Amino acid sequence: MFKRDNLPKLFGNDDFTKRTLRFAWHLTSIAWLGLAGILVVLAQPTIEPKPILLIISATFFIHFIAALFGSKGKHLSWILFALITLCTALTAIQYF
């Protein structure tokens, strides 16, 4: 797909578009790993909310780091990922 010459040229060239597509591909993989972690926790006989919140927080923290550095701060999704990380981490802290 990256060999095509008709990708949108954002910020002057198509590099940002290519990085965004790569980012979305890897971000989906991270999200599925986070979901797998949650399913493992849910399979336990006793379900605690703390591990689930920590998995969600860690997953979105990885999303935040990937979005911030992968797009060099240009793709503003890092703000949303940071907010979700903060909210879930603060909620998890209440359970400790």
Side-chain angles (χ1 to χ4, degrees):
M1 177 168 41
F2 295 141
K3 292 181 181 181
R4 298 178 63 161
D5 60 356
N6 62 347
L7 289 174
K9 293 177 182 8
L10 303 172
F11 301 107
N13 57 29
D14 64 354
D15 288 339
F16 181 74
T17 303
K18 290 176 181 178
R19 278 197 316 268
T20 302
L21 290 170
R22 280 190 200 100
F23 160 73
W25 179 268
H26 294 298
L27 208 63
T28 305
S29 300
I30 294 166
W32 284 113
L33 288 172
L35 178 61
I38 290 171
L39 291 175
V40 168
V41 171
L42 290 174
Q44 304 303 314
T46 306
I47 299 172
E48 296 281 330
K50 286 184 289 187
I52 295 172
L53 289 169
L54 291 174
I55 291 168
I56 293 169
S57 183
T59 301
F60 278 96
F61 179 73
I62 295 168
H63 284 58
F64 159 68
I65 295 297
L68 182 62
F69 293 108
S71 73
K72 300 177 184 172
K74 291 180 183 176
H75 197 284
L76 299 179
S77 64
W78 66 269
I79 297 170
L80 180 63
F81 294 140
L83 288 173
I84 295 170
T85 299
L86 184 63
C87 289
T88 54
L90 289 175
T91 304
I93 289 171
Q94 291 178 357
Y95 285 102
F96 286 109

Short mmCIF file of all heavy atoms in Angstrom, two decimals, residues 13-61:
data_model
loop_
_atom_site.label_atom_id
_atom_site.label_comp_id
_atom_site.label_asym_id
_atom_site.label_seq_id
_atom_site.Cartn_x
_atom_site.Cartn_y
_atom_site.Cartn_z
N ASN A 13 4.07 16.20 2.77
CA ASN A 13 4.38 14.96 2.04
C ASN A 13 3.55 13.82 2.61
O ASN A 13 2.71 14.03 3.48
CB ASN A 13 5.89 14.66 2.10
CG ASN A 13 6.41 14.56 3.51
OD1 ASN A 13 5.69 14.18 4.42
ND2 ASN A 13 7.67 14.91 3.70
N ASP A 14 3.80 12.60 2.12
CA ASP A 14 2.99 11.47 2.57
C ASP A 14 3.62 10.70 3.73
O ASP A 14 3.10 9.67 4.13
CB ASP A 14 2.68 10.54 1.40
CG ASP A 14 3.92 9.89 0.82
OD1 ASP A 14 5.04 10.24 1.22
OD2 ASP A 14 3.76 9.03 -0.07
N ASP A 15 4.70 11.20 4.32
CA ASP A 15 5.33 10.52 5.45
C ASP A 15 4.39 10.41 6.65
O ASP A 15 4.31 9.37 7.30
CB ASP A 15 6.62 11.23 5.87
CG ASP A 15 7.74 11.03 4.88
OD1 ASP A 15 7.67 10.07 4.09
OD2 ASP A 15 8.67 11.86 4.88
N PHE A 16 3.68 11.50 6.94
CA PHE A 16 2.75 11.49 8.08
C PHE A 16 1.64 10.46 7.85
O PHE A 16 1.27 9.73 8.77
CB PHE A 16 2.16 12.88 8.29
CG PHE A 16 1.21 12.95 9.46
CD1 PHE A 16 1.68 12.94 10.75
CD2 PHE A 16 -0.16 13.04 9.25
CE1 PHE A 16 0.81 13.00 11.83
CE2 PHE A 16 -1.03 13.11 10.32
CZ PHE A 16 -0.55 13.10 11.61
N THR A 17 1.14 10.37 6.64
CA THR A 17 0.10 9.39 6.31
C THR A 17 0.62 7.97 6.51
O THR A 17 -0.06 7.13 7.10
CB THR A 17 -0.38 9.58 4.86
OG1 THR A 17 -0.84 10.92 4.69
CG2 THR A 17 -1.49 8.61 4.51
N LYS A 18 1.81 7.69 6.04
CA LYS A 18 2.40 6.36 6.19
C LYS A 18 2.63 6.02 7.67
O LYS A 18 2.34 4.90 8.10
CB LYS A 18 3.71 6.27 5.42
CG LYS A 18 3.52 6.28 3.92
CD LYS A 18 4.85 6.28 3.20
CE LYS A 18 4.65 6.32 1.69
NZ LYS A 18 5.92 6.37 0.97
N ARG A 19 3.13 6.98 8.44
CA ARG A 19 3.36 6.72 9.86
C ARG A 19 2.04 6.48 10.58
O ARG A 19 1.95 5.63 11.47
CB ARG A 19 4.10 7.90 10.50
CG ARG A 19 5.58 7.87 10.30
CD ARG A 19 6.34 8.76 11.26
NE ARG A 19 5.77 10.08 11.46
CZ ARG A 19 6.09 11.17 10.77
NH1 ARG A 19 6.99 11.10 9.81
NH2 ARG A 19 5.51 12.31 11.04
N THR A 20 0.99 7.22 10.19
CA THR A 20 -0.32 7.04 10.81
C THR A 20 -0.89 5.66 10.51
O THR A 20 -1.44 5.00 11.39
CB THR A 20 -1.29 8.14 10.34
OG1 THR A 20 -0.75 9.41 10.68
CG2 THR A 20 -2.65 8.00 10.99
N LEU A 21 -0.73 5.20 9.29
CA LEU A 21 -1.22 3.86 8.94
C LEU A 21 -0.46 2.78 9.69
O LEU A 21 -1.05 1.82 10.20
CB LEU A 21 -1.11 3.64 7.43
CG LEU A 21 -2.09 4.45 6.58
CD1 LEU A 21 -1.74 4.34 5.10
CD2 LEU A 21 -3.51 3.99 6.84
N ARG A 22 0.85 2.92 9.79
CA ARG A 22 1.65 1.95 10.57
C ARG A 22 1.24 1.99 12.04
O ARG A 22 1.10 0.96 12.69
CB ARG A 22 3.14 2.27 10.45
CG ARG A 22 3.76 1.77 9.21
CD ARG A 22 5.29 1.91 9.27
NE ARG A 22 5.82 1.86 7.93
CZ ARG A 22 6.18 2.90 7.21
NH1 ARG A 22 6.11 4.11 7.70
NH2 ARG A 22 6.64 2.75 5.99
N PHE A 23 1.07 3.19 12.55
CA PHE A 23 0.67 3.39 13.93
C PHE A 23 -0.67 2.69 14.21
O PHE A 23 -0.82 1.98 15.20
CB PHE A 23 0.58 4.90 14.20
CG PHE A 23 -0.24 5.30 15.37
CD1 PHE A 23 0.22 5.10 16.66
CD2 PHE A 23 -1.47 5.92 15.19
CE1 PHE A 23 -0.54 5.49 17.74
CE2 PHE A 23 -2.22 6.31 16.27
CZ PHE A 23 -1.76 6.10 17.54
N ALA A 24 -1.64 2.87 13.33
CA ALA A 24 -2.96 2.27 13.51
C ALA A 24 -2.86 0.74 13.50
O ALA A 24 -3.54 0.07 14.28
CB ALA A 24 -3.92 2.75 12.43
N TRP A 25 -2.02 0.20 12.66
CA TRP A 25 -1.84 -1.25 12.59
C TRP A 25 -1.29 -1.79 13.92
O TRP A 25 -1.82 -2.74 14.48
CB TRP A 25 -0.88 -1.59 11.45
CG TRP A 25 -0.61 -3.04 11.32
CD1 TRP A 25 0.41 -3.74 11.89
CD2 TRP A 25 -1.38 -4.00 10.58
NE1 TRP A 25 0.34 -5.06 11.56
CE2 TRP A 25 -0.76 -5.25 10.75
CE3 TRP A 25 -2.52 -3.90 9.80
CZ2 TRP A 25 -1.26 -6.39 10.16
CZ3 TRP A 25 -3.01 -5.06 9.21
CH2 TRP A 25 -2.38 -6.28 9.39
N HIS A 26 -0.25 -1.17 14.43
CA HIS A 26 0.37 -1.64 15.66
C HIS A 26 -0.49 -1.33 16.88
O HIS A 26 -0.52 -2.11 17.83
CB HIS A 26 1.77 -1.03 15.82
CG HIS A 26 2.72 -1.52 14.77
ND1 HIS A 26 3.07 -2.84 14.63
CD2 HIS A 26 3.38 -0.86 13.81
CE1 HIS A 26 3.91 -2.98 13.63
NE2 HIS A 26 4.11 -1.79 13.10
N LEU A 27 -1.20 -0.22 16.83
CA LEU A 27 -2.08 0.13 17.94
C LEU A 27 -3.19 -0.90 18.11
O LEU A 27 -3.53 -1.25 19.24
CB LEU A 27 -2.69 1.51 17.67
CG LEU A 27 -3.07 2.33 18.87
CD1 LEU A 27 -1.85 2.66 19.69
CD2 LEU A 27 -3.73 3.60 18.41
N THR A 28 -3.70 -1.40 17.01
CA THR A 28 -4.73 -2.44 17.08
C THR A 28 -4.17 -3.70 17.72
O THR A 28 -4.84 -4.34 18.54
CB THR A 28 -5.26 -2.74 15.66
OG1 THR A 28 -5.73 -1.53 15.08
CG2 THR A 28 -6.39 -3.75 15.70
N SER A 29 -2.94 -4.06 17.39
CA SER A 29 -2.31 -5.23 18.01
C SER A 29 -2.18 -5.05 19.51
O SER A 29 -2.44 -5.99 20.29
CB SER A 29 -0.93 -5.48 17.40
OG SER A 29 -1.03 -5.72 16.03
N ILE A 30 -1.79 -3.87 19.95
CA ILE A 30 -1.65 -3.60 21.38
C ILE A 30 -3.02 -3.68 22.06
O ILE A 30 -3.15 -4.24 23.16
CB ILE A 30 -1.02 -2.21 21.61
CG1 ILE A 30 0.42 -2.22 21.10
CG2 ILE A 30 -1.07 -1.81 23.07
CD1 ILE A 30 1.03 -0.84 20.97
N ALA A 31 -4.04 -3.16 21.42
CA ALA A 31 -5.39 -3.21 21.98
C ALA A 31 -5.86 -4.65 22.15
O ALA A 31 -6.46 -5.00 23.17
CB ALA A 31 -6.37 -2.44 21.09
N TRP A 32 -5.58 -5.50 21.17
CA TRP A 32 -5.98 -6.91 21.28
C TRP A 32 -5.22 -7.62 22.40
O TRP A 32 -5.78 -8.48 23.08
CB TRP A 32 -5.81 -7.64 19.96
CG TRP A 32 -6.88 -7.29 18.97
CD1 TRP A 32 -6.72 -6.61 17.80
CD2 TRP A 32 -8.29 -7.57 19.08
NE1 TRP A 32 -7.94 -6.46 17.18
CE2 TRP A 32 -8.91 -7.04 17.93
CE3 TRP A 32 -9.06 -8.22 20.02
CZ2 TRP A 32 -10.28 -7.14 17.72
CZ3 TRP A 32 -10.42 -8.32 19.81
CH2 TRP A 32 -11.03 -7.79 18.67
N LEU A 33 -3.95 -7.27 22.59
CA LEU A 33 -3.21 -7.85 23.71
C LEU A 33 -3.80 -7.42 25.05
O LEU A 33 -3.90 -8.22 25.99
CB LEU A 33 -1.73 -7.46 23.63
CG LEU A 33 -0.93 -8.14 22.53
CD1 LEU A 33 0.47 -7.52 22.43
CD2 LEU A 33 -0.83 -9.63 22.78
N GLY A 34 -4.20 -6.16 25.13
CA GLY A 34 -4.86 -5.68 26.34
C GLY A 34 -6.16 -6.41 26.59
O GLY A 34 -6.47 -6.80 27.73
N LEU A 35 -6.93 -6.63 25.54
CA LEU A 35 -8.19 -7.38 25.68
C LEU A 35 -7.91 -8.81 26.13
O LEU A 35 -8.63 -9.35 26.98
CB LEU A 35 -8.97 -7.38 24.37
CG LEU A 35 -10.27 -8.17 24.38
CD1 LEU A 35 -11.25 -7.60 25.39
CD2 LEU A 35 -10.89 -8.19 22.99
N ALA A 36 -6.87 -9.41 25.60
CA ALA A 36 -6.52 -10.77 26.02
C ALA A 36 -6.18 -10.80 27.51
O ALA A 36 -6.59 -11.73 28.23
CB ALA A 36 -5.34 -11.28 25.20
N GLY A 37 -5.47 -9.79 27.98
CA GLY A 37 -5.16 -9.71 29.41
C GLY A 37 -6.41 -9.59 30.25
O GLY A 37 -6.53 -10.22 31.31
N ILE A 38 -7.36 -8.80 29.80
CA ILE A 38 -8.62 -8.65 30.53
C ILE A 38 -9.38 -9.97 30.55
O ILE A 38 -9.95 -10.36 31.57
CB ILE A 38 -9.47 -7.52 29.91
CG1 ILE A 38 -8.81 -6.17 30.20
CG2 ILE A 38 -10.90 -7.55 30.44
CD1 ILE A 38 -9.43 -5.00 29.47
N LEU A 39 -9.39 -10.68 29.44
CA LEU A 39 -10.08 -11.98 29.40
C LEU A 39 -9.45 -12.99 30.35
O LEU A 39 -10.15 -13.79 30.98
CB LEU A 39 -10.10 -12.52 27.97
CG LEU A 39 -10.98 -11.75 26.99
CD1 LEU A 39 -10.81 -12.31 25.58
CD2 LEU A 39 -12.43 -11.77 27.42
N VAL A 40 -8.13 -12.94 30.49
CA VAL A 40 -7.45 -13.82 31.45
C VAL A 40 -7.92 -13.50 32.86
O VAL A 40 -8.20 -14.40 33.66
CB VAL A 40 -5.91 -13.70 31.32
CG1 VAL A 40 -5.20 -14.35 32.49
CG2 VAL A 40 -5.44 -14.29 30.01
N VAL A 41 -8.00 -12.22 33.18
CA VAL A 41 -8.46 -11.82 34.51
C VAL A 41 -9.91 -12.24 34.73
O VAL A 41 -10.28 -12.74 35.79
CB VAL A 41 -8.31 -10.29 34.72
CG1 VAL A 41 -8.98 -9.84 36.00
CG2 VAL A 41 -6.84 -9.90 34.72
N LEU A 42 -10.75 -12.06 33.71
CA LEU A 42 -12.16 -12.43 33.84
C LEU A 42 -12.37 -13.93 33.97
O LEU A 42 -13.40 -14.37 34.47
CB LEU A 42 -12.95 -11.89 32.64
CG LEU A 42 -13.12 -10.37 32.59
CD1 LEU A 42 -13.79 -9.96 31.29
CD2 LEU A 42 -13.91 -9.87 33.78
N ALA A 43 -11.40 -14.73 33.54
CA ALA A 43 -11.52 -16.18 33.63
C ALA A 43 -11.21 -16.70 35.04
O ALA A 43 -11.47 -17.86 35.33
CB ALA A 43 -10.58 -16.84 32.63
N GLN A 44 -10.71 -15.84 35.90
CA GLN A 44 -10.38 -16.25 37.27
C GLN A 44 -11.67 -16.41 38.07
O GLN A 44 -12.67 -15.74 37.82
CB GLN A 44 -9.48 -15.20 37.94
CG GLN A 44 -8.21 -14.90 37.19
CD GLN A 44 -7.37 -16.14 36.96
OE1 GLN A 44 -7.17 -16.94 37.85
NE2 GLN A 44 -6.90 -16.30 35.74
N PRO A 45 -11.63 -17.30 39.08
CA PRO A 45 -12.85 -17.51 39.88
C PRO A 45 -13.30 -16.25 40.63
O PRO A 45 -14.48 -16.01 40.78
CB PRO A 45 -12.46 -18.61 40.87
CG PRO A 45 -11.09 -19.03 40.53
CD PRO A 45 -10.54 -18.15 39.48
N THR A 46 -12.35 -15.48 41.11
CA THR A 46 -12.67 -14.24 41.81
C THR A 46 -12.21 -13.08 40.93
O THR A 46 -11.03 -12.98 40.61
CB THR A 46 -11.95 -14.17 43.17
OG1 THR A 46 -12.26 -15.33 43.92
CG2 THR A 46 -12.37 -12.95 43.93
N ILE A 47 -13.14 -12.24 40.58
CA ILE A 47 -12.81 -11.13 39.68
C ILE A 47 -12.66 -9.86 40.50
O ILE A 47 -13.58 -9.45 41.22
CB ILE A 47 -13.90 -10.95 38.60
CG1 ILE A 47 -14.02 -12.20 37.75
CG2 ILE A 47 -13.59 -9.74 37.73
CD1 ILE A 47 -15.19 -12.19 36.81
N GLU A 48 -11.50 -9.25 40.40
CA GLU A 48 -11.20 -7.98 41.05
C GLU A 48 -11.14 -6.89 39.98
O GLU A 48 -10.60 -7.12 38.90
CB GLU A 48 -9.85 -8.06 41.77
CG GLU A 48 -9.80 -9.05 42.90
CD GLU A 48 -10.44 -8.50 44.16
OE1 GLU A 48 -10.39 -7.26 44.34
OE2 GLU A 48 -10.98 -9.29 44.94
N PRO A 49 -11.63 -5.71 40.27
CA PRO A 49 -11.57 -4.63 39.28
C PRO A 49 -10.16 -4.04 39.11
O PRO A 49 -9.84 -3.50 38.05
CB PRO A 49 -12.54 -3.58 39.80
CG PRO A 49 -12.67 -3.86 41.26
CD PRO A 49 -12.43 -5.33 41.43
N LYS A 50 -9.32 -4.14 40.15
CA LYS A 50 -7.98 -3.54 40.07
C LYS A 50 -7.17 -4.02 38.88
O LYS A 50 -6.66 -3.20 38.11
CB LYS A 50 -7.20 -3.80 41.36
CG LYS A 50 -7.64 -3.00 42.55
CD LYS A 50 -6.74 -3.27 43.73
CE LYS A 50 -6.99 -4.65 44.28
NZ LYS A 50 -6.28 -4.94 45.51
N PRO A 51 -7.01 -5.34 38.68
CA PRO A 51 -6.19 -5.78 37.55
C PRO A 51 -6.75 -5.35 36.20
O PRO A 51 -5.99 -5.01 35.30
CB PRO A 51 -6.17 -7.31 37.67
CG PRO A 51 -6.58 -7.61 39.05
CD PRO A 51 -7.44 -6.47 39.49
N ILE A 52 -8.05 -5.33 36.09
CA ILE A 52 -8.67 -4.91 34.83
C ILE A 52 -8.36 -3.44 34.55
O ILE A 52 -7.98 -3.07 33.44
CB ILE A 52 -10.19 -5.18 34.83
CG1 ILE A 52 -10.44 -6.69 34.89
CG2 ILE A 52 -10.86 -4.56 33.62
CD1 ILE A 52 -11.88 -7.08 35.10
N LEU A 53 -8.52 -2.61 35.57
CA LEU A 53 -8.22 -1.19 35.41
C LEU A 53 -6.74 -0.96 35.10
O LEU A 53 -6.39 -0.10 34.29
CB LEU A 53 -8.61 -0.42 36.67
CG LEU A 53 -10.11 -0.29 36.91
CD1 LEU A 53 -10.38 0.24 38.31
CD2 LEU A 53 -10.75 0.61 35.87
N LEU A 54 -5.87 -1.73 35.73
CA LEU A 54 -4.44 -1.59 35.48
C LEU A 54 -4.07 -2.03 34.06
O LEU A 54 -3.22 -1.41 33.41
CB LEU A 54 -3.63 -2.37 36.51
CG LEU A 54 -3.67 -1.79 37.93
CD1 LEU A 54 -2.96 -2.72 38.91
CD2 LEU A 54 -3.08 -0.40 37.98
N ILE A 55 -4.72 -3.07 33.57
CA ILE A 55 -4.48 -3.52 32.19
C ILE A 55 -4.94 -2.45 31.21
O ILE A 55 -4.24 -2.13 30.24
CB ILE A 55 -5.17 -4.87 31.91
CG1 ILE A 55 -4.48 -5.98 32.70
CG2 ILE A 55 -5.18 -5.19 30.42
CD1 ILE A 55 -5.24 -7.29 32.72
N ILE A 56 -6.12 -1.89 31.46
CA ILE A 56 -6.62 -0.83 30.58
C ILE A 56 -5.69 0.37 30.62
O ILE A 56 -5.33 0.93 29.58
CB ILE A 56 -8.06 -0.43 30.98
CG1 ILE A 56 -9.03 -1.58 30.70
CG2 ILE A 56 -8.51 0.83 30.23
CD1 ILE A 56 -10.41 -1.39 31.29
N SER A 57 -5.27 0.74 31.81
CA SER A 57 -4.37 1.88 31.95
C SER A 57 -3.05 1.64 31.24
O SER A 57 -2.54 2.50 30.52
CB SER A 57 -4.13 2.17 33.44
OG SER A 57 -3.32 3.30 33.59
N ALA A 58 -2.47 0.45 31.40
CA ALA A 58 -1.19 0.12 30.74
C ALA A 58 -1.35 0.10 29.23
O ALA A 58 -0.47 0.59 28.50
CB ALA A 58 -0.68 -1.22 31.25
N THR A 59 -2.46 -0.46 28.76
CA THR A 59 -2.70 -0.52 27.32
C THR A 59 -2.78 0.88 26.72
O THR A 59 -2.14 1.18 25.70
CB THR A 59 -4.00 -1.30 27.02
OG1 THR A 59 -3.88 -2.62 27.55
CG2 THR A 59 -4.27 -1.37 25.53
N PHE A 60 -3.52 1.75 27.37
CA PHE A 60 -3.64 3.11 26.84
C PHE A 60 -2.38 3.93 27.05
O PHE A 60 -2.11 4.86 26.30
CB PHE A 60 -4.88 3.81 27.40
CG PHE A 60 -6.13 3.43 26.66
CD1 PHE A 60 -6.95 2.42 27.12
CD2 PHE A 60 -6.46 4.05 25.48
CE1 PHE A 60 -8.08 2.04 26.43
CE2 PHE A 60 -7.60 3.69 24.77
CZ PHE A 60 -8.40 2.68 25.24
N PHE A 61 -1.59 3.59 28.07
CA PHE A 61 -0.30 4.26 28.23
C PHE A 61 0.62 3.93 27.05
O PHE A 61 1.29 4.80 26.51
CB PHE A 61 0.37 3.85 29.55
CG PHE A 61 1.70 4.51 29.75
CD1 PHE A 61 1.78 5.86 30.06
CD2 PHE A 61 2.87 3.79 29.61
CE1 PHE A 61 3.00 6.47 30.23
CE2 PHE A 61 4.10 4.40 29.78
CZ PHE A 61 4.17 5.75 30.10
#
